Amino acid sequence: MTELFLSSRQLLLCLAAGWQATHGRLQRFERAPGAGWAAVGAALPVALGRAGLAWGRGLHPAQPGRTKREGDGCSPAGVFAISALFGDAPDSPLARTAKLPYGYATRDLKCVDDPASAYYNRIVDQAGVVVDWISSEDMLRGDGRYALGAVVAHNTAPPLAGCGSCIFLHVWAAPGVPTAGCTALALADLSEVARWLDGAAAPLLVQLPQAEYGRWRMEWGLPAADD
C-alpha cells in the first residue's frame, strides 16, 4: 500500500465503464489498522458528469490524457479526500451526529466557480466577504439536489484557475440523469454514506474508469472491484 492510502481507513470506490460513461457504481470499503479493505454494504448506483470523466487535481500523481477544466461537464477522476458535509437542515439528526464538519446552507452561502475570483473553488458566506465573482453556485437550492452533500477536495491545494470547482457528492435529479460534473446518488443512499463517513478515518474517494483502476489497483493497495 502506498503512502497515499496509509492514513485512510475509509474508501469510496466509484468505477465507471469508461471515460465517456455518465453513470457508475460506488462501493464503500473500510479497514482496521494493519488489515485489508473490507466492503461495507451494497454497491450504489451513481450519476456522473454529462461528459463522463477526466483527470482531476487530487492526491494522485498527475496523469496524461483527459484533464478536467471548468465547465467541461466531466466528473474528476483520481483520488480525493472527502473533507466536509453540507445540507439544508440545520438541526437534523445527521447535522447533530456527523463525524465530518457539517455546513448548513443559507441563502448567502455560495460556492464560487468564477476562475477570476480570489474565492475560486471555495464555499463562502457572501455576507462576510467582498464579492469579486461573476458566477457562483447557490448552496441553498430549491430542487433538493443539495439537500445533503459531501465536499470532494478536488483542485484545492491550491486551487488553479480553470481546473474545475465545486465538486460534490450530492442528490441526483433522477436515476440516469447525469450531472454538471459532480457525483450524484439517491438521497437515501447518500444519507447512508454521509452517516458512515468519519473524519478520523481520513475518507478518500477513488473515482476512475474500470481500466484505469485495473492499472493502479495493485500499486495503490486497493481492493478488487468485485470485492
Side-chain angles (χ1 to χ4, degrees):
M1 181 173 299
T2 66
E3 186 176 349
L4 176 61
F5 293 94
L6 284 176
S7 63
S8 176
R9 293 184 286 106
Q10 286 187 330
L11 172 68
L12 296 174
L13 176 59
C14 181
L15 297 180
W19 289 105
Q20 308 292 337
T22 59
H23 63 276
R25 305 283 287 180
L26 184 147
Q27 176 68 61
R28 289 177 290 159
F29 291 88
E30 62 188 14
R31 66 182 183 91
W37 294 104
V40 176
L44 306 172
V46 300
L48 299 171
R50 62 179 180 270
L53 294 167
W55 285 112
R57 294 186 68 240
L59 301 173
H60 55 281
Q63 299 294 318
R66 287 165 56 101
T67 302
K68 178 157 181 61
R69 303 296 297 173
E70 187 66 44
D72 63 1
C74 290
S75 296
V79 183
F80 310 94
I82 302 295
S83 57
L85 301 172
F86 60 86
D88 60 12
D91 195 34
S92 67
L94 177 60
R96 294 193 299 270
T97 62
K99 292 170 282 187
L100 279 170
Y102 178 92
Y104 167 53
T106 67
R107 287 185 175 85
D108 284 325
L109 198 65
K110 310 292 181 182
C111 187
V112 180
D113 56 13
D114 180 353
S117 170
Y119 300 100
Y120 178 61
N121 198 27
R122 288 176 54 189
I123 298 174
V124 296
D125 186 335
Q126 68 176 5
V129 301
V130 175
V131 174
D132 69 347
W133 57 83
I134 295 174
S135 63
S136 64
E137 290 206 18
D138 295 332
M139 297 303 294
L140 184 63
R141 297 173 54 138
D143 60 10
R145 295 190 198 179
Y146 288 1
L148 177 62
V151 177
V152 177
H154 163 263
N155 190 27
T156 60
L160 291 184
C163 288
S165 62
C166 307
I167 302 298
F168 309 125
L169 305 178
H170 66 70
V171 181
W172 63 22
V177 176
T179 72
C182 292
T183 300
L185 301 82
L187 177 58
D189 291 342
L190 183 55
S191 297
E192 182 178 348
V193 171
R195 288 191 296 267
W196 173 77
L197 288 168
D198 185 349
L204 296 175
L205 168 68
V206 175
Q207 185 161 264
L208 291 170
Q210 288 272 2
E212 287 294 330
Y213 188 68
R215 175 187 171 199
W216 291 105
R217 186 182 73 83
M218 295 300 292
E219 182 175 335
W220 289 351
L222 297 177
D226 58 353
D227 280 3

